[in-house]
Amino acid sequence: MKNLICYDKSRTDLEQVPKIFMKPDFALDDSLTFNSVLPWSHFNTAGGKGNRDAASSKLLQEKLSHYLDIVEVNIAHQISLRSEAFFHAMTSQHELQDYLKKTSQAVKMLRDKIAQIDKVMCEGSLHILRLALTRNNCVKVYNKLKLMATVHQTQPTVQVLLSTSEFVGALDLIATTQEVLQQELQGIHSFRHLGSQLCELEKLIDKMMIAEFSTYSHSDLNRPLEDDCQVLEEERLVSLVFGLLKQRKLNFLEIYGEKMIITAKNIIKQCVINKVSQIEEIDTDVVVKLADQMRMLNFPQWFELLKDIFSKFTIFLQRVKATLNIIHSVVLSVLDKNQRTRELEEISQQKNAAKDNTLDTEVAYLIHEGMFISDAFTEGELTPVAVDTTSQRNASPNSEPCSSDSVSEPECTTDSSSSKEQTASSAIPGGVDILVSEDMRLTDSELGKLANNIQELLYSASDICHDRAVKFLMSRAKDGFLEKLNSMEFITLSRLMETFILDTEQICGRKSMSLLGALQSQANKFVNRFHEERKTKLSLLLDNERWKQADVPAEFQDLVDSISDGKIALPEKKSGATEERKPAEVLIVEGQQYAVVGTVLLLIRIILEYCQCVDNIPSVTTDMLTRLSDLLKYFNSRSCQLVLGAGALQVVGLKTITTKNLALSSRCLQLIVHYIPVIRAHFEARLPPKQYSMLRHFDHITKDYHDHIAEISAKLVAIMDSLFDKLLSKYEVKAPVPSACFRNICKQMTKMHEAIFDLLPEEQTQMLFLRINASYKLHLKKQLSHLNVINDGGPQNGLVTADVAFYTGNLQALKGLKDLDLNMAEIWEQKR
C-alpha cells in the first residue's frame, strides 16, 4: 500500500514536468525546442523592463531546477527499488573472474598434451609423407629424362622413315613429338629450336608427298591401254592418300584431274597416228599435219578409228574409276573413324565423371608445406588413371616399361619409331589393310565434301573424254563430211556414239552432255530436212483436199491395225494379198468407224514415220517430238482455215462449205485425237524423266483439237439456229395444222440428219440434235411470247400443240433419235 502511494505521488510529480522534456527526440540544438524551453522574452533587457525580465528569468531558472529535482528524486526512487539486483551483479562479476582463471589453466594443460601428441605421433608420419612426395618427384624427373632422350631421336628416325617413303609414319612421329614438346617438355632450353625444325621438316614432307602423288598419277594414267583395269601399286596409293589427308592437302585431286586431261589428249593422238600409219594411200611426207591426214580417211576407215578411240576411252575411264574408288574408300574410312572416335570420347568422359564423384577427399583441407596432404594419398590413385589414357596414346611395342620400384606409374614414353595415336585397322577394296590415325581431325563436312569432289572428278573424267571426242568429231566435220552422210551411215554413227555415251554413263554414273550435244546438233540437221519434207507434203495435200469422204485402201487399214496391236511402226507390205483387197468406205479403229478424207490417211502414215525415226535415232527424240507437235498443230490450224474459215472456196474452188464437209472435218480431227495418247505414250517411253515436261505439248494439242471439234459442232448448231430464227419469226398460230413453217423446219432437220448421220457416231448425233432442239425451243418460246399465246387450253394453244407434236414426231422418226428426250414443255411461259 505504501509503495502504491509512493508510485502515485511520483507519477503526480512527473506530470508537472512538461511533455517536451519526455520526447525521445528532445534536443536543444533544434531551434523550435530551444525556443519552447528558453523563450527569448525572458532574456530581453531592453526598454525599462529590466527588473521585470530579471525576475522572470529567475523564475524560469527555479522552475527548471524544480523539474530537475523531481526527475532526480524519481531516479533515486527507482534505484532504491532495484538495489538488490545491483548488489547481485557485483557478486556475479567476481565469480566470472574465477571461472575464466580455471578455463585458462585447462587450455594450457590441453596445449601441453597436444604438443606431446604431435611430437610422439605426427612428426614421423609427416616425415614419411614428405619422403613419398620426394620419391614421386624423383620418378617424374627420371621419366622426363627418358622422354627427352626419346624426343632427341626424332629427327634421325624421321629421316629413316622418309628414305623408305613412310610418309604417314614420319608425320605421326612429328605430330607426337610436337605434342610432347608443347605439353610435357615446355620450356626445356635444349629443345627450344626443335619445334621449328620439325615444322620445316613437315613442310618438306608435304612437298615430297605432292611430288610423289603427281608421279604416281602420271604412271597410273599412262600405262598401256589394255583390258587390265587393276589399280597400280595400291598400297602406295593408300599410303599417299592418308598422308595428304593427314596434312589437309585436299587439292591433290586437282593434280589427278590435270593428268587426266593430258592423257585424254594423248590417247586420241596415238590412235590417229596408229590408224594413219596403216593406210598406204596417205603420204605423211606430203600431208604433214595429223588433222589433215585424218581428214583423208573415208567413212569406214574413219568410223573404225572413232570406234578404237571410244574403246580406249572406255578402258581409261574404268582405270580412273578404280583408282578413285580406292581414294574414296580411304576418305570414308577416315570419316567412319572420326565418328567412332567421338563415340569413344563420350563414353570415356562419362566414365571419368563417375570416377571423379567417388574420390576420397576426407583430409583435403589439411595443408603441409603448401600442398594438400590428401595429394600424397590420392596421387597414387589418380596417376594410374592418367597412365591408362596416356599409355594407350604413347606406348609402343618397343617401349620400355617404367621402373618397377615406383610408388605410382607415371607416363610411359614413346619409342622413336612409334606413333602416338590410337589406330584402327580397316580394309580397302582390293585387300589392303590400312591404319586410320586418330589425329586426322578433318571435320565430317570436309570429308563429305572431299568424297563429293572425288565423285565429281569421275564425272569430270567422263566429260573430258566426251569433250575430246567432240573436238575430234568437229575436226572431221570441217569439210562438211558429216552432212554428206546418208541415212544408214548417220544411223550407224549415231548408234556408235549413243553406245559410248551409255557405256560412260554406266561407268561414271552420270551422262555427259557434250558429245550428246554434238550428236544432237548433227541430228537436228537431219531432223530439219526430215520435217520440212513432210510438212511440205502435208501442205500440198491440204491445199488440194476437197473434203469429201475417201475410200480407205487396205494398206492403211493394216496400218491402224498394227497400231492397235501396240506396234507403232510402218508395217511391211504384203505381196499380192493387199492388192486383191478392195478399199473400204470407212476406217475401222478399235471397232469404231471413221469416215475420213485422204489427207488424214497420209497424215497417220507420216506420224508413224516420225515415231519410227525416234526408234532408229533415240538422240533426236526431243527434237522429233517438237517437230511432230508442230506438224499436228499445222494440220489443225490449216484445216480450220480451209473448212471453218471457208478457205477451201478459194484454194480448191468449192462452191460452199456444207454441213457434210463440217462433219467430215470433225471426224478426221477425232481420229487424230484418238491417236494422240498412243503417240504420247510412245514418246514418253523414250524420253528421260527430266524431259517429261515436253509431253505437255500433246496436252495442248489435244485441247486445241477438242476446241476445234467444239467449234465445228457450234457451227452446225449456229446454222440451224439462224434457220429457226428466220422461219419462226414469221410463224402464225392458225390453220392448217401442221403449219407450213413447221413443215419447212422438219424438212431442214431431216436434211441435217442425212448429212451427218453416216459420218458421226450415234451418240454425237444425238448430242448435236439435243443442242439444235434447245435452240429451236428458245426461238419458239420467244415467238409464242411475242404472239401472247399461253398454255391455257384454248384454240391457239391447241394449234401450237399440234404443230409441236408434228415436229416431235418427225424428229424422233429419224434414225438414231427415237429415244431423244425433247422436253417440249419448256416452250411455254411459267404461270405467275
Side-chain angles (χ1 to χ4, degrees):
M1 185 69 182
K2 183 179 179 180
N3 290 336
L4 182 61
I5 294 172
C6 292
Y7 174 74
D8 291 339
K9 185 175 185 243
S10 298
R11 183 175 181 181
T12 302
D13 292 340
L14 285 173
E15 287 177 352
Q16 297 178 12
V17 180
K19 299 297 183 180
I20 191 173
F21 292 102
M22 303 299 180
K23 290 182 177 181
D25 57 347
F26 176 80
L28 291 177
D29 55 357
D30 183 22
S31 59
L32 295 176
T33 304
F34 185 84
N35 291 332
S36 299
V37 175
L38 299 173
W40 284 103
S41 58
H42 294 277
F43 303 96
N44 189 4
T45 57
K49 297 182 181 179
N51 295 331
R52 189 178 60 183
D53 290 340
S56 176
S57 298
K58 186 176 181 180
L59 180 62
L60 178 60
Q61 182 179 2
E62 292 176 355
K63 184 185 296 185
L64 291 175
S65 299
H66 177 67
Y67 294 158
L68 178 62
D69 294 338
I70 293 173
V71 171
E72 289 177 349
V73 169
N74 278 275
I75 289 173
H77 178 69
Q78 292 296 328
I79 291 173
S80 65
L81 292 177
R82 292 171 175 77
S83 58
E84 294 181 0
F86 282 110
F87 289 118
H88 180 71
M90 293 299 294
T91 305
S92 298
Q93 181 70 19
H94 293 297
E95 292 178 357
L96 182 59
Q97 290 178 354
D98 294 339
Y99 288 150
L100 288 175
K101 185 177 181 181
K102 292 179 180 179
T103 301
S104 175
Q105 293 175 353
V107 168
K108 183 178 180 182
M109 293 176 62
L110 181 60
R111 285 179 175 176
D112 293 340
K113 290 180 180 180
I114 289 174
Q116 293 177 0
I117 292 172
D118 179 64
K119 183 176 181 180
V120 175
M121 301 182 65
C122 297
E123 286 184 1
S125 300
L126 289 175
H127 182 66
I128 292 173
L129 290 176
R130 285 194 295 272
L131 291 177
L133 293 174
T134 302
R135 185 172 180 272
N136 285 336
N137 290 335
C138 291
V139 171
K140 289 180 180 179
V141 171
Y142 169 73
N143 289 329
K144 189 73 70 175
L145 292 174
K146 285 181 64 178
L147 185 60
M148 291 174 64
T150 302
V151 170
H152 185 66
Q153 296 296 321
T154 297
Q155 288 177 302
T157 306
V158 169
Q159 297 295 337
V160 173
L161 293 173
L162 291 180
S163 65
T164 58
S165 297
E166 291 287 342
F167 298 109
V168 177
L171 290 171
D172 288 342
L173 182 56
I174 290 174
T176 302
T177 304
Q178 286 178 331
E179 186 170 348
V180 169
L181 287 173
Q182 293 174 0
Q183 295 182 359
E184 301 177 24
L185 299 180
Q186 184 72 28
I188 302 298
H189 186 72
S190 59
F191 289 150
R192 64 186 183 279
H193 300 305
L194 182 58
S196 59
Q197 293 172 356
L198 292 177
C199 290
E200 293 298 325
L201 191 57
E202 190 173 2
K203 293 178 181 179
L204 176 62
I205 293 174
D206 292 347
K207 296 179 181 179
M208 292 176 64
M209 285 193 300
I210 292 175
E212 184 76 8
F213 184 80
S214 178
T215 304
Y216 173 86
S217 301
H218 179 78
S219 302
D220 178 50
L221 295 174
N222 288 277
R223 288 181 287 161
L225 289 170
E226 300 172 354
D227 294 336
D228 181 19
C229 298
Q230 297 297 324
V231 178
L232 178 67
E233 299 182 35
E234 188 171 337
E235 295 182 3
R236 177 185 173 194
L237 173 62
V238 170
S239 176
L240 282 172
V241 173
F242 267 107
L244 292 168
L245 291 179
K246 183 178 180 65
Q247 294 304 104
R248 303 176 68 88
K249 300 297 180 182
L250 306 183
N251 60 342
F252 65 93
L253 294 178
E254 298 176 4
I255 299 174
Y256 197 79
E258 294 172 357
K259 297 295 182 182
M260 287 193 309
I261 296 174
I262 298 173
T263 304
K265 292 180 180 179
N266 293 334
I267 288 174
I268 292 182
K269 183 177 180 180
Q270 190 61 43
C271 287
V272 173
I273 293 174
N274 294 339
K275 187 65 178 179
V276 169
S277 64
Q278 298 173 5
I279 308 301
E280 297 179 357
E281 292 81 4
I282 301 176
D283 189 351
T284 56
D285 294 332
V286 178
V287 183
V288 180
K289 291 185 178 180
L290 193 62
D292 294 336
Q293 296 173 5
M294 181 266 295
R295 293 190 188 96
M296 296 180 67
L297 300 175
N298 57 31
F299 178 76
Q301 294 169 344
W302 181 81
F303 184 79
E304 289 299 322
L305 173 59
L306 182 63
K307 185 186 295 185
D308 184 46
I309 291 174
F310 285 165
S311 175
K312 293 292 192 294
F313 274 157
T314 302
I315 298 174
F316 168 73
L317 289 176
Q318 289 173 345
R319 286 185 177 177
V320 170
K321 181 179 181 181
T323 301
L324 292 180
N325 280 343
I326 296 298
I327 299 175
H328 190 263
S329 299
V330 172
V331 172
L332 293 183
S333 298
V334 175
L335 179 61
D336 179 67
K337 175 59 181 176
N338 281 357
Q339 295 173 349
R340 287 190 285 120
T341 300
R342 283 198 301 272
E343 294 175 358
L344 292 175
E345 287 177 351
E346 292 175 359
I347 295 174
S348 177
Q349 290 175 359
Q350 294 175 358
K351 290 182 178 180
N352 291 338
K355 288 182 180 180
D356 291 342
N357 292 333
T358 59
L359 292 178
D360 184 11
T361 56
E362 290 182 356
V363 291
Y365 300 100
L366 295 178
I367 297 178
H368 177 71
E369 293 186 357
M371 180 179 179
F372 285 112
I373 293 180
S374 60
D375 291 347
F377 297 105
T378 59
E379 185 171 353
E381 300 172 359
L382 293 176
T383 305
V385 176
V387 169
D388 290 341
T389 303
T390 310
S391 62
Q392 289 179 5
R393 295 185 294 120
N394 296 346
S396 69
N398 298 327
S399 60
E400 297 179 0
C402 299
S403 177
S404 60
D405 59 352
S406 303
V407 174
S408 61
E409 296 183 4
E411 297 181 353
C412 298
T413 60
T414 63
D415 194 64
S416 60
S417 62
S418 65
S419 173
K420 170 186 161 301
E421 297 81 8
Q422 287 183 343
T423 59
S425 66
S426 175
I428 296 293
V432 179
D433 290 337
I434 60 174
L435 294 177
V436 182
S437 299
E438 185 187 59
D439 67 342
M440 289 187 181
R441 291 304 183 184
L442 292 169
T443 64
D444 289 354
S445 61
E446 288 176 328
L447 291 171
K449 183 179 180 180
L450 185 60
N452 291 335
N453 290 341
I454 293 171
Q455 187 62 45
E456 289 296 329
L457 186 60
L458 182 59
Y459 296 155
S460 177
S462 176
D463 293 339
I464 290 169
C465 292
H466 281 247
D467 292 341
R468 301 313 304 178
V470 168
K471 290 184 178 180
F472 176 77
L473 196 67
M474 293 299 102
S475 176
R476 188 65 183 91
K478 283 184 177 180
D479 56 357
F481 174 75
L482 298 180
E483 296 179 4
K484 299 175 184 178
L485 299 179
N486 58 41
S487 297
M488 289 306 300
E489 288 175 341
F490 183 80
I491 290 173
T492 304
L493 175 61
S494 174
R495 288 178 177 174
L496 175 63
M497 296 172 68
E498 289 175 350
T499 301
F500 176 69
I501 291 170
L502 290 176
D503 290 342
T504 56
E505 182 180 4
Q506 290 177 355
I507 294 172
C508 301
R510 189 185 72 176
K511 180 180 291 185
S512 296
M513 304 307 296
S514 57
L515 184 59
L516 187 63
L519 175 61
Q520 190 70 38
S521 176
Q522 296 299 322
N524 287 342
K525 299 177 182 179
F526 171 78
V527 170
N528 286 336
R529 186 174 68 252
F530 179 91
H531 176 65
E532 290 301 325
E533 290 175 357
R534 281 148 185 81
K535 188 173 182 180
T536 301
K537 181 179 179 180
L538 179 61
S539 177
L540 293 174
L541 290 171
L542 286 171
D543 289 344
N544 291 279
E545 181 60 62
R546 301 190 65 84
W547 297 100
K548 292 183 178 181
Q549 184 176 354
D551 292 335
V552 180
E555 61 175 311
F556 287 98
Q557 185 62 54
D558 294 338
L559 200 65
V560 297
D561 291 342
S562 66
I563 297 176
S564 301
D565 296 336
K567 299 177 181 178
I568 303 181
L570 295 174
E572 298 179 359
K573 292 184 178 180
K574 299 177 182 178
S575 59
T578 304
E579 296 177 359
E580 296 176 0
R581 295 165 59 188
K582 294 182 179 180
E585 293 183 358
V586 293
L587 189 67
I588 307 298
V589 180
E590 297 181 1
Q592 291 191 17
Q593 296 182 355
Y594 286 87
V596 294
V597 297
T599 301
V600 171
L601 295 175
L602 294 174
L603 177 59
I604 292 175
R605 184 180 182 86
I606 291 173
I607 290 173
L608 293 186
E609 290 175 353
Y610 277 79
C611 295
Q612 191 169 19
C613 184
V614 168
D615 290 335
N616 292 333
I617 312 175
S619 62
V620 301
T621 301
T622 54
D623 198 18
M624 196 62 75
L625 186 152
T626 305
R627 306 305 173 124
L628 180 56
S629 300
D630 177 65
L631 189 75
L632 293 174
K633 290 177 181 178
Y634 175 77
F635 173 76
N636 183 47
S637 61
R638 186 59 179 158
S639 61
C640 181
Q641 294 170 4
L642 293 172
V643 181
L644 274 177
L649 299 180
Q650 291 80 24
V651 176
V652 295
L654 294 181
K655 294 181 180 181
T656 183
I657 302 298
T658 64
T659 55
K660 193 166 187 176
N661 297 141
L662 291 169
L664 191 59
S665 175
S666 175
R667 196 58 175 156
C668 291
L669 293 170
Q670 292 173 27
L671 177 62
I672 302 302
V673 170
H674 173 80
Y675 281 117
I676 287 178
V678 181
I679 301 169
R680 177 194 175 104
H682 180 80
F683 278 89
E684 184 175 4
R686 288 151 183 80
L687 279 175
K690 63 181 180 181
Q691 292 180 334
Y692 280 169
S693 60
M694 295 188 65
L695 297 172
R696 69 181 186 277
H697 292 302
F698 291 113
D699 298 331
H700 298 160
I701 292 171
T702 302
K703 181 180 181 301
D704 293 341
Y705 272 66
H706 282 303
D707 292 343
H708 189 179
I709 294 169
E711 288 177 7
I712 293 175
S713 299
K715 182 65 175 178
L716 292 171
V717 174
I719 292 172
M720 297 304 296
D721 183 78
S722 62
L723 180 66
F724 294 148
D725 183 56
K726 179 180 179 181
L727 295 177
L728 289 176
S729 63
K730 300 177 181 180
Y731 172 60
E732 296 179 359
V733 184
K734 62 181 181 179
V737 176
S739 64
C741 177
F742 272 77
R743 288 177 184 273
N744 201 359
I745 289 174
C746 291
K747 181 180 178 180
Q748 295 299 328
M749 294 285 277
T750 302
K751 287 183 178 180
M752 170 67 79
H753 181 268
E754 291 174 352
I756 68 173
F757 184 75
D758 293 334
L759 302 178
L760 299 179
E762 184 175 329
E763 298 81 7
Q764 294 184 24
T765 303
Q766 290 178 355
M767 292 301 298
L768 182 61
F769 272 89
L770 281 176
R771 293 176 62 186
I772 292 172
N773 182 63
S775 176
Y776 158 77
K777 290 189 292 184
L778 183 63
H779 285 285
L780 180 58
K781 183 177 181 180
K782 179 180 178 182
Q783 183 63 18
L784 292 177
S785 177
H786 177 70
L787 298 174
N788 294 322
V789 178
I790 61 175
N791 188 16
D792 58 356
Q796 287 186 325
N797 178 257
L799 292 173
V800 173
T801 302
D803 284 337
V804 170
F806 172 76
Y807 163 82
T808 303
N810 275 273
L811 190 58
Q812 292 181 340
L814 297 176
K815 189 176 180 180
L817 304 181
K818 181 179 180 180
D819 299 328
L820 205 62
D821 184 11
L822 302 178
N823 193 15
M824 300 306 296
E826 295 180 354
I827 65 174
W828 302 106
E829 290 283 353
Q830 297 292 330
K831 293 183 179 181
R832 297 181 180 178

